[in-house]
Amino acid sequence: MRKKIIAGNWKMNMTPTEAVKLCETLKPLVKNEDVDVVFCVPAIDIIPVAEAVKGTNINVGAENLYFEDKGAYTGEVSADMLLDAGVKYVIMGHSERREYFHETDADINKKLKKALEKGLIPIVCCGESLEQREQGICFDFVRMQLKIAFQGVSAEDAKKVVIAYEPIWAIGTGKTATADQAEEVCKAIRDLLTELYGSDTAEAIRIQYGGSMNAGNCKELLAKPNIDGGLIGGASLKPDFGSIVNYNK
Ligand code: PEP
């Protein structure tokens, strides 16, 4: 039985002061022992957020990492820096980073291997554009993204990874994939993982849906057999996030 994982992606929102205030608001709302709860926050908010959520069920996540250990990479943040600051999870391959910062599948493969080597839990994002969906290449595209991301990753390590299926057309648009559309792709992802690693490993890997998930639509999405959680953007900054975490109450 896979434990559900609900992660907020704060994106480039919240100053350190605002971040601590948001933690105080959300702390009492996100208690649910059936769910792993993660706040993925901007790099500058990691230390104050880690302090603010100490002793609670909230895990701290980062929104990115760099795949080198240290050195002349101005502006980047390493796995060791994240770990030392109290981070447990790290998002990689978000469509916004792919689009605006030109992250490639090969970069994501390096980030995935580095995170696993260091003991961070990767949340690997994938998902098609509207054009790709309309061209009928959604499954091929997502399979390609994940096949490259997982190149050289052992089955034992793959089990630790969380995958977030996020159709780009549903992110921040208010346009959610229907529960059936989301389940269809999450099932295809599980089938790919079975091809790559066998069914024991594929059944252990958690697959989230992301794209305008909110308090109103989360129940139906999270009831699907291959949807093991959510990656939440806009709604993670509001008390709504508490309702999503408590979808089963
Ligand atoms: C996201 O950025 O990962 C996301 C799913 O955003 P939103 O929930 O706002 O669509």
Side-chain angles (χ1 to χ4, degrees):
M1 186 62 180
R2 295 180 294 269
K3 189 173 182 186
K4 292 273 199 267
I5 172 164
I6 305 289
N9 172 16
W10 290 11
K11 310 196 185 194
M12 197 176 75
N13 293 296
M14 300 289 138
T15 65
T17 308
E18 291 167 342
V20 170
K21 271 193 205 141
L22 182 60
C23 288
E24 295 312 323
T25 306
L26 292 180
K27 265 200 276 196
L29 307 178
V30 298
K31 290 184 184 150
N32 183 354
E33 65 286 354
D34 304 329
V35 171
D36 284 334
V37 178
V38 188
F39 290 0
C40 297
V41 307
I44 197 159
D45 295 341
I46 288 170
I47 290 174
V49 165
E51 187 59 36
V53 303
K54 216 172 244 168
T56 73
N57 63 319
I58 299 163
N59 297 285
V60 182
E63 298 178 12
N64 188 25
L65 86 163
Y66 196 53
F67 49 74
E68 296 291 352
D69 283 336
K70 59 161 73 170
Y73 304 103
T74 303
E76 293 296 327
V77 176
S78 73
D80 285 333
M81 291 172 184
L82 296 178
L83 284 163
D84 191 58
V87 166
K88 184 165 174 191
Y89 293 83
V90 58
I91 296 175
M92 56 192 68
H94 192 281
S95 58
E96 288 151 15
R97 292 212 58 85
R98 293 177 188 261
E99 182 180 351
Y100 304 132
F101 304 101
H102 314 294
E103 252 183 37
T104 66
D105 290 315
D107 293 333
I108 293 151
N109 173 248
K110 287 184 199 162
K111 292 182 180 198
L112 179 53
K113 288 193 282 200
K114 181 54 68 178
L116 288 165
E117 176 200 323
K118 296 288 183 174
L120 288 162
I121 301 175
I123 300 178
V124 180
C125 301
C126 60
E128 81 289 359
S129 66
L130 187 57
E131 191 185 9
Q132 289 160 339
R133 176 163 280 264
E134 287 170 353
Q135 288 169 335
I137 59 167
C138 164
F139 293 163
D140 303 292
F141 186 75
V142 169
R143 282 174 61 92
M144 179 200 68
Q145 287 182 315
L146 291 174
K147 273 178 116 165
I148 298 172
F150 278 84
Q151 239 153 50
V153 174
S154 69
E156 196 192 326
D157 272 347
K159 281 186 185 170
K160 301 169 192 159
V161 178
V162 177
I163 295 172
Y165 166 59
E166 300 206 300
I168 297 169
W169 48 273
I171 296 177
T173 56
K175 230 193 242 179
T176 323
T178 65
D180 285 341
Q181 282 173 322
E183 166 63 16
E184 191 183 27
V185 184
C186 291
K187 164 79 169 61
I189 291 172
R190 192 146 345 258
D191 290 345
L192 168 67
L193 295 168
T194 306
E195 276 171 42
L196 295 176
Y197 293 111
S199 64
D200 277 6
T201 301
E203 289 301 320
I205 296 175
R206 294 185 290 181
I207 306 173
Q208 298 173 310
Y209 165 76
S212 301
M213 193 187 269
N214 59 40
N217 59 27
C218 61
K219 239 188 190 133
E220 198 190 348
L221 286 158
L222 293 169
K224 293 292 182 187
N226 286 290
I227 301 181
D228 308 313
L231 183 58
I232 325 290
S236 70
L237 302 170
K238 301 186 230 163
D240 253 35
F241 192 66
S243 311
I244 301 173
V245 169
N246 285 289
Y247 76 97
N248 63 339
K249 304 282 168 180

